[in-house]
Amino acid sequence: MDAKPILFLLKAGFPDPGHGPGGFYCPECAVIAGLLWYYPAVADKLDIRLVDAPRPRPDVVALIGEENQSCPVLVLPPGDAPAGVPQVNGRSFVSGPDKIVEFLADRFGTARSH
């Protein structure tokens, strides 16, 4: 079985003492989660991993380095290196909601943001 791209999203309900009491969610991660709700067949083609918000995020850092641990981020399998996509440690990755949405549309045929 071919390796799946790994999608890292932040877990919802994380604390942020600098912003008061209560739990928070990452709006950028919510955009990607919402898109995948529309396209469950695409979600099945991804290895979706929810990570804790506080840094460092060891699972992300282990694959693409400390400087690239922002979420959401889609880490492609080794050898999957589309043109124009950054690469670290032999792994290509797509970072940020807009770029991830465009990648999913190109790769899997999801709709694009309008």
Side-chain angles (χ1 to χ4, degrees), residues 9-114:
L9 302 172
L10 297 183
K11 293 177 185 175
F14 59 85
D16 186 344
H19 286 85
F24 296 91
Y25 70 90
C26 168
E28 292 85 6
C29 293
V31 166
I32 304 304
L35 178 69
L36 295 175
W37 182 82
Y38 286 127
Y39 296 96
V42 172
D44 289 342
K45 295 177 182 179
L46 304 174
D47 177 357
I48 301 170
R49 299 184 189 178
L50 302 177
V51 296
D52 292 325
R55 292 178 185 220
R57 299 177 182 134
D59 292 345
V60 181
V61 170
L63 293 175
I64 56 173
E66 187 173 356
E67 65 280 1
N68 298 305
Q69 62 180 308
S70 293
C71 289
V73 64
L74 181 67
V75 181
L76 304 179
D80 188 351
V85 175
Q87 191 175 80
V88 173
N89 300 329
R91 301 293 290 259
S92 296
F93 65 97
V94 182
S95 184
D98 294 338
K99 290 180 181 178
I100 292 171
V101 167
E102 287 299 313
F103 181 87
L104 294 175
D106 290 343
R107 178 69 57 99
F108 300 112
T110 63
R112 297 178 189 279
S113 179
H114 181 4

